[in-house]
Amino acid sequence: MAALYPSDSGFLTPPANGSSRAGAVAMYPPPPPAPHRDFISVTLSLGESYDNSKSRRRRSCWRKWKQLSRLQQNMVIFLLAFLIVCGFLSYIHMADQWKALSGKPTEEQKMPEVPGLKPANPPVLPAPQKADASPASSKVLPQRPRKHFRRGPPHLQIRAPNTDSKAGMQDEAKEQAAAPGDVLQDENTQRTVISWRGAVIEPEQGTGLPLRREEAPTKPSLLVTRMQKEAGLPNERQKGVIEAFRHAWKGYRQFAWGHDELRPVSRSFSEWFGLGLTLIDALDTMWILGLKQEFREARTWVSEKLDFKKDVDVNLFESTIRILGGLLSTYHLSGDRLFLRKAEDFGNRLMPAFMTPSKIPYSDVNIGTGVAHPPQWTSDSTVSEVTSIQLEFRELSRLTGVRKFQEAAEEVTRHVHNLSGKKDGLVPMFINTHSGSFTHLGVFTLGARADSYYEYLLKQWIQGGKKETQLLEDYLAAIEGIKTHLMRRSEPRKLTFIGELAHGRFNAKMDHLVCFLPGTLALGVHHGLSADHMELAQALMETCYQMNRQMETGLSPEIVHFNLYPPADDLDVKVKPADRHNLLRPETVESLFYLYRTTGDRKYQDWGWEILQSFNKYTRVPSGGYSSINNVQSPNKPEPRDKMESFFLGETLKYLYLLFSDDPNLLSLDTYVFNTEAHPLPIWAPA
Ligand code: DMJ
């Protein structure tokens, strides 16, 4: 006979000197409440033939049961009953959660299949042959659909992607092994991250630093279910956008996978930073359009191939708005921490740009060596560039709790706020990185090199919960400056437009880039600013539409000149030969989105639909992708430039999709603020 004793692990083990082949079954009771100790034993009878029949097992169980004391029997019965009740309750709870998290498309979520949707007119661009660089051929296609490992702020997730939790964790482990020193990676950091997610977020005061705090966690299952219900099915026009995106993605996937930009005509690619720019810029668009398969595949690339440890110069502004902004918004939408880790890694690598005598950052930085520098010909930086990185750096600090990002970016804002050389709120185009002063004084534009300075004044104010009054004051002053110095009306149609001022001389030239302004003005009104701004927004929107409408292709040129003097001509808009190109830019449709959201006037949707059809007619390349064109005034020979800019997927198609939505809660303007590359970031204290 051998008695068995409970081991440390709770399993029953024989005593040290006992036979390990005891063949006896025994149970040691819990610590003795009873006055006597019960030992249950079975006599070994090795000589007997082994009988493992059911009836014998049943008899022996029954015998053992009878050998238990009344107390033990009651305890066992109680334990079983308890386990059954617990099991039942947790089944109900888990069933709810799995329903919400399973990622199986509900009726509302099912991917729209729109194979029949074709452009109204056949594309005019040629279809030459070229080698295949698709992810399929380079074997990066995911083998099977993955389940999503849900983490991150749940109430910002609009849909549940379908990624495998195990795969997610493996990716994460790999990422952590590969990431540089100060990226979220060690156990301690992980623990901090978990604890800050549990804290209740407060709206941030002014430029104060929010540290490792996030929104109060709400039950993810309920939120995801609610958001799935709200998302709704795409309407016909949205399906048109999805079809356009898929066509663009097809070209990128096949000929430019993992490279910066597709060259759709030559079926090849071009590199700028060598960081998969189009793929990153397009991530959140895929999420918003519900393109799960494409998103999963791109996520795999980010996880396995995207490496910032690279000896390459990047432009601080362009890489911030596209890469940092794209990663941060994708993190917010998906809740997948892979994107936050990548964002923090990238943010760290950009930081040397700020190490200048004035703290005004250099335009370029090598993300591998950490060497930053201005362009070769000057020590100036562009004003819009140094003042349009703040939304992203501030958000990165909020999410990581690392102050330096926000501090560096806000130092620039403070500095520019106090700088002389402005004209009624209007800023010059250049700033010196040594002296910190504006240069090339006396030239004012809302176009290239100044545009997003104005946009980010308003958007930072919104992002921070409308508390940073200096930002608002600078914005309001600038709008007044625009009205006084840059706004005019054309002849004969009296279109309101924004020109430029050079040393007191007005130039009736307007970049298509300026068409961001009606949208920004409307956004300001949505957030409580003067109704006058809406009048100007609507007038400018009409002008931007006419810049498209009056061209033979229905697409705006890069720059127009307005006719100021009657009755010289019946055309308000003139285009110089050097300015006739269209780069698939987003600004007109971006503003149409804001104008429709804030006024509800469907004409803005109709205008956007016309523009999408023009893109399909004149810029679509049959083998996949869209190309910028050289001549918007030549419908028979638009001359493809053989390049699809990353912002066509990051911005243009995203804004079109949102424009055609009738759901104001789809990326609500009260919850999100879009960076200048159309990447939605959360407002810190949503209204
Ligand atoms: C984008 O990169 C951004 O919208 C930027 O603010 C201006 N230029 C392009 C789009 O035109």
Side-chain angles (χ1 to χ4, degrees):
M1 188 168 109
L4 299 181
Y5 299 87
S7 71
D8 285 349
S9 64
F11 291 110
L12 298 178
T13 55
N17 58 355
S19 163
S20 60
R21 297 281 314 242
V25 179
M27 182 194 260
Y28 193 77
H36 66 277
R37 293 178 115 194
D38 287 330
F39 285 88
I40 301 159
S41 61
V42 180
T43 307
L44 289 172
S45 50
L46 296 174
E48 261 179 42
S49 67
Y50 178 67
D51 177 4
N52 195 27
S53 69
K54 267 189 187 167
S55 61
R56 183 194 153 101
R57 280 204 306 270
R58 228 178 278 132
R59 276 200 311 275
S60 111
C61 281
W62 180 243
R63 247 202 327 274
K64 283 173 219 155
W65 174 252
K66 295 297 282 179
Q67 286 168 344
L68 294 179
S69 70
R70 175 61 57 86
L71 176 69
Q72 287 172 320
Q73 287 180 345
N74 285 342
M75 282 177 66
V76 170
I77 290 167
F78 175 77
L79 201 67
L80 282 175
F82 180 74
L83 286 174
I84 288 167
V85 172
C86 284
F88 183 66
L89 288 177
S90 65
Y91 169 77
I92 293 174
H93 180 71
M94 293 300 286
D96 263 5
Q97 288 208 336
W98 280 111
K99 235 185 267 167
L101 298 178
S102 66
K104 273 188 192 158
T106 61
E107 271 313 302
E108 288 158 299
Q109 267 186 296
K110 270 182 190 159
M111 290 301 101
E113 290 298 337
V114 281
L117 210 68
K118 294 245 163 62
N121 293 285
V124 294
L125 302 180
Q129 305 298 311
K130 188 75 194 202
D132 191 325
S134 74
S137 60
S138 57
K139 295 198 171 48
V140 292
L141 270 170
Q143 277 79 44
R144 63 190 166 80
R146 295 169 158 194
K147 276 194 201 120
H148 179 58
F149 187 55
R150 297 189 64 80
R151 281 182 283 166
H155 80 286
L156 294 172
Q157 296 160 357
I158 57 170
R159 284 179 211 172
N162 217 6
T163 31
D164 190 359
S165 62
K166 214 167 151 199
M169 286 190 290
Q170 282 166 358
D171 286 346
E172 191 158 315
K174 252 195 250 167
E175 275 304 307
Q176 288 177 0
D182 47 356
V183 177
L184 295 169
Q185 58 178 335
D186 57 30
E187 271 305 304
N188 289 337
T189 318
Q190 283 297 350
R191 270 198 294 276
T192 324
V193 168
I194 289 161
S195 72
W196 65 252
R197 282 183 51 216
V200 176
I201 191 167
E202 303 262 85
E204 294 310 321
Q205 295 296 325
T207 54
L209 289 167
L211 296 181
R212 295 212 183 273
R213 285 187 287 168
E214 253 303 341
E215 288 74 0
T218 315
K219 221 175 172 187
S221 56
L222 296 178
L223 287 161
V224 173
T225 312
R226 193 182 70 216
M227 284 162 180
Q228 282 167 347
K229 275 190 193 134
E230 283 169 2
L233 282 174
N235 58 39
E236 286 309 305
R237 286 180 173 179
Q238 286 179 303
K239 284 181 190 170
V241 180
I242 291 171
E243 194 279 335
F245 185 98
R246 283 200 161 127
H247 183 76
W249 193 247
K250 178 182 156 208
Y252 177 77
R253 185 177 177 277
Q254 197 171 356
F255 307 118
W257 185 251
H259 298 285
D260 282 344
E261 287 139 349
L262 169 67
R263 300 188 63 203
V265 179
S266 55
R267 300 187 179 188
S268 58
F269 56 84
S270 55
E271 295 292 28
W272 188 5
F273 311 140
L275 296 172
L277 200 58
T278 295
L279 188 148
I280 299 174
D281 224 359
L283 282 167
D284 58 4
T285 307
M286 289 185 262
W287 184 276
I288 293 161
L289 269 56
L291 300 174
K292 292 182 185 171
Q293 173 63 32
E294 290 83 350
F295 181 84
R296 262 181 239 127
E297 200 176 351
R299 189 228 182 252
T300 302
W301 185 87
V302 171
S303 164
E304 293 175 3
K305 307 277 183 199
L306 179 60
D307 186 1
F308 295 130
K309 213 187 299 160
K310 216 171 181 181
D311 184 359
V312 65
D313 275 0
V314 301
N315 174 284
L316 173 68
F317 163 73
E318 296 290 359
S319 64
T320 296
I321 64 170
R322 299 181 199 217
I323 297 176
L324 189 54
L327 291 170
L328 287 174
S329 67
T330 307
Y331 164 65
H332 274 294
L333 296 176
S334 68
D336 186 339
R337 290 182 62 82
L338 165 71
F339 300 107
L340 178 57
R341 286 195 308 279
K342 291 287 183 189
E344 187 172 14
D345 180 12
F346 193 63
N348 274 311
R349 292 171 187 280
L350 295 179
M351 289 308 286
F354 293 89
M355 287 182 216
T356 67
S358 66
K359 306 271 177 61
I360 297 298
Y362 288 130
S363 59
D364 297 280
V365 54
N366 186 305
I367 56 172
T369 63
V371 176
H373 59 87
Q376 274 170 358
W377 59 91
T378 175
S379 57
D380 287 353
S381 285
T382 295
V383 169
S384 65
E385 293 194 356
V386 301
T387 55
S388 311
I389 49 180
Q390 281 68 15
L391 289 178
E392 299 82 357
F393 277 79
R394 280 154 51 112
E395 179 59 10
L396 185 58
S397 275
R398 191 179 78 93
L399 289 173
T400 61
V402 179
R403 290 164 177 264
K404 64 181 176 186
F405 305 117
Q406 182 164 4
E407 281 172 352
E410 288 186 343
E411 177 65 33
V412 180
T413 312
R414 271 192 297 276
H415 182 95
V416 172
H417 171 76
N418 294 319
L419 218 49
S420 59
K422 293 181 201 159
K423 188 179 179 74
D424 294 335
L426 304 177
V427 290
M429 295 150 75
F430 296 98
I431 187 165
N432 190 274
T433 49
H434 294 300
S435 67
S437 304
F438 289 128
T439 66
H440 302 78
L441 298 179
V443 181
F444 302 99
T445 174
L446 259 281
R449 300 191 183 278
D451 49 359
S452 43
Y453 160 75
Y454 304 100
E455 181 187 347
Y456 268 37
L457 288 175
L458 179 75
K459 288 185 172 177
Q460 284 180 84
W461 176 70
I462 294 169
Q463 179 191 43
K466 305 185 203 172
K467 297 182 181 75
E468 296 149 284
T469 47
Q470 276 189 355
L471 293 165
L472 178 62
E473 282 163 16
D474 286 355
Y475 175 74
L476 293 174
I479 301 304
E480 290 312 304
I482 290 168
K483 286 184 189 167
T484 310
H485 301 291
L486 304 182
M487 193 185 87
R488 294 280 194 287
R489 288 205 167 76
S490 67
E491 294 295 340
R493 296 183 56 163
K494 310 252 181 270
L495 296 175
T496 301
F497 71 95
I498 306 295
E500 298 183 351
L501 196 65
H503 311 291
R505 227 184 119 94
F506 183 78
N507 185 354
K509 159 182 180 270
M510 180 163 152
D511 293 353
H512 180 263
L513 286 170
V514 182
C515 289
F516 81 92
L517 186 59
T520 298
L521 288 165
L523 178 66
V525 176
H526 178 79
H527 282 281
L529 302 187
S530 161
D532 292 358
H533 289 198
M534 187 55 98
E535 272 174 40
L536 179 55
Q538 287 175 317
L540 287 172
M541 191 73 261
E542 168 77 30
T543 305
C544 289
Y545 170 59
Q546 290 300 332
M547 285 165 62
N548 290 267
R549 184 89 171 86
Q550 294 191 12
M551 298 303 121
E552 287 75 352
T553 57
L555 295 172
S556 170
E558 181 73 356
I559 300 170
V560 298
H561 288 77
F562 286 91
N563 186 24
L564 281 178
Y565 307 104
D569 207 315
D570 62 346
L571 282 180
D572 291 69
V573 181
K574 303 245 162 108
V575 188
K576 295 187 175 174
D579 305 330
R580 291 188 304 206
H581 50 287
N582 179 294
L583 304 183
L584 312 172
R585 285 195 191 276
E587 288 77 16
T588 300
V589 295
E590 168 185 356
S591 283
L592 287 172
F593 157 66
Y594 285 109
L595 266 289
Y596 178 65
R597 272 281 166 101
T598 51
T599 67
D601 189 338
R602 288 200 181 277
K603 80 177 176 201
Y604 297 122
Q605 289 184 322
D606 296 340
W607 293 355
W609 183 241
E610 282 176 27
I611 291 173
L612 176 60
Q613 286 172 313
S614 291
F615 278 132
N616 275 330
K617 191 168 173 185
Y618 296 108
T619 72
R620 186 173 165 116
V621 180
S623 53
Y626 289 73
S627 172
S628 50
I629 53 174
N630 268 331
N631 191 349
V632 294
Q633 293 179 308
S634 172
N636 294 324
K637 208 166 169 258
E639 289 177 33
R641 291 163 69 105
D642 195 16
K643 184 155 163 178
M644 184 173 78
E645 302 279 350
S646 77
F647 51 68
F648 184 63
L649 301 187
E651 294 194 74
T652 310
L653 293 180
K654 183 190 291 154
Y655 280 130
L656 280 165
Y657 185 84
L658 295 174
L659 165 65
F660 298 142
S661 165
D662 285 323
D663 179 2
N665 291 318
L666 179 60
L667 297 174
S668 161
L669 297 180
D670 295 317
T671 312
Y672 290 95
V673 61
F674 291 83
N675 86 342
T676 192
E677 189 75 6
H679 297 303
L681 299 172
I683 295 173
W684 293 347

